[in-house]
Amino acid sequence: MTIYNLYIFDKFGTLLHYAEWNRTKSSGITSEEEYKLTYGMLYSIKSFVSKISPHDPREGFLYYKTNRYALHYLETPSGLKFVLNTDTAVINVKELLQQLYAKVWVEYVVRDPLWTPGTVVTSELFQSKLDEFVKQSPIYGIRNI
Amino acid sequence: MIIYGVYIVSKSGGLIFNLDNNVPRIEHERVFTYPLELVLDYDAKKVSVSFNRKDGINVGHVLVGVNGIAVNGGTLDDGRDVKATLEAAENYPINLKFTRPKMTTNEKIFLASMFYQLYAMACQLSPEPKSSGIESLEADTFTLHCFQTLTGVKFIVISETGLNGMDLLLRKIYELYSDYVLKNPFYSLEMPIRCELFDNKLQELLTQVEKTGISNIDK
């Protein structure tokens, strides 16, 4: 079980924060392009899910899995999007993302007087707390080699 | 076990087969008083909700009935205009029936090629080497399972959430595809599948799976 990387987007698609832990492959494009591609993909998935869903969706898209990784998605009512890539064996990632929002994002970014909404988060305190939070989570685990 | 639909996408991203199975019909009927709380969008083809929700009637739902009279595009079956009827205060209280719109064939073709791209993007954005594309996608109302064959044909099954062994069902559908579609001398590759035998066998399989579960499919 492991965590690869995390993207945080705001409702306009601006990347607010990116962090990675055990990522072993880069996407082969510049990071700017990668963020845009990720956001674009999520945007498409969201509209895809709402169209193909047989019932009216409430939360909509939750996660997808490939044979190598799983992408978990949490969107807050304010349009903030947390995207976490993990391996495929993990469970309860939704709770982890909710905690990340409540305990790390709200505490160290929303309450940061120097942060203007819609801009990249540069706070070192947030980065270290995020790193600590992820590394302490049971999902992070020990990497199998 | 509910299976909502089966889609087959060719290697170039075109929808070559789709089957709607067990699609729930969501209808909401309610009596409204003047003025109408829902904001409606009057299109030439349909009247849909563009803002507000009420008792299960959500944005995107389409008006299908007014006081029990069916709505056909922008007019009622008795010839009256829907917009004029709904805007006149003397017609209230009025009984309106809304339904979640069914996907048209065009929308299905559109969604199939959209999934084809999502599949490719999921490959590229992988943090690990040698990743496949999306194999399962979970939302709160359904789960999508996808199986891509070596030749690039994608089999997609939309089902309710929390089911196991969907890959077994997908492989069984692949088996039916190779037996009844590829061996059909009148079928040309990449073209929409119109094989009666395949339709029957697939329907039979889905009925069996829904009744007795996936584990009972004969291998």
Side-chain angles (χ1 to χ4, degrees), chain A residues 82-95:
Chain A
F82 291 82
V83 183
L84 190 73
N85 284 333
T86 67
D87 71 330
T88 52
V90 299
I91 45 166
N92 292 337
V93 184
K94 198 181 160 200
E95 283 75 16

Side-chain angles (χ1 to χ4, degrees), chain A residues 103-126:
Chain A
K103 290 186 182 162
V104 186
W105 181 263
V106 172
E107 290 291 326
Y108 300 103
V109 177
V110 177
R111 292 188 178 174
D112 179 357
L114 295 176
W115 178 67
T116 352
T119 57
V120 178
V121 179
T122 45
S123 154
E124 278 178 23
L125 183 63
F126 167 69

Side-chain angles (χ1 to χ4, degrees), chain A residues 53 56 59 63 65 67 69, chain B residues 100 122 132 135 138 140-141:
Chain A
S53 170
D56 284 320
E59 292 169 87
Y63 63 82
K65 284 182 181 176
N67 61 352
Y69 77 103
Chain B
R100 189 174 157 78
S132 70
E135 283 185 343
E138 180 127 346
D140 56 348
T141 45

Side-chain angles (χ1 to χ4, degrees), chain A residues 4-141:
Chain A
Y4 297 122
N5 52 2
L6 170 78
Y7 304 84
I8 303 173
F9 295 101
D10 75 354
K11 64 175 167 183
F12 303 111
T14 320
L15 182 96
L16 301 181
H17 189 69
Y18 174 75
E20 67 182 40
W21 288 274
N22 291 318
R23 186 169 177 170
T24 50
K25 173 187 168 276
S26 79
S27 49
I29 47 180
T30 63
S31 41
E32 289 286 299
E33 283 175 338
E34 183 192 305
Y35 305 149
K36 282 183 191 159
L37 187 63
T38 310
Y39 185 79
M41 180 179 72
L42 292 166
Y43 188 85
S44 310
I45 288 184
K46 224 178 114 177
S47 94
F48 175 80
V49 163
S50 72
K51 283 206 185 97
I52 212 161
S53 170
H55 299 277
D56 284 320
R58 252 170 290 115
E59 292 169 87
F61 173 54
L62 301 173
Y63 63 82
Y64 75 69
K65 284 182 181 176
T66 74
N67 61 352
R68 304 300 297 228
Y69 77 103
L71 179 144
H72 301 263
Y73 178 75
L74 175 78
E75 184 171 349
T76 66
S78 55
L80 206 60
K81 296 163 182 76
F82 291 82
V83 183
L84 190 73
N85 284 333
T86 67
D87 71 330
T88 52
V90 299
I91 45 166
N92 292 337
V93 184
K94 198 181 160 200
E95 283 75 16
L96 182 88
L97 283 174
Q98 280 167 343
Q99 280 183 9
L100 191 146
Y101 173 59
K103 290 186 182 162
V104 186
W105 181 263
V106 172
E107 290 291 326
Y108 300 103
V109 177
V110 177
R111 292 188 178 174
D112 179 357
L114 295 176
W115 178 67
T116 352
T119 57
V120 178
V121 179
T122 45
S123 154
E124 278 178 23
L125 183 63
F126 167 69
Q127 287 170 16
S128 60
K129 290 286 174 186
L130 175 70
D131 198 54
E132 198 180 304
F133 177 83
V134 168
K135 284 184 175 159
Q136 274 175 1
S137 76
I139 294 169
Y140 186 74

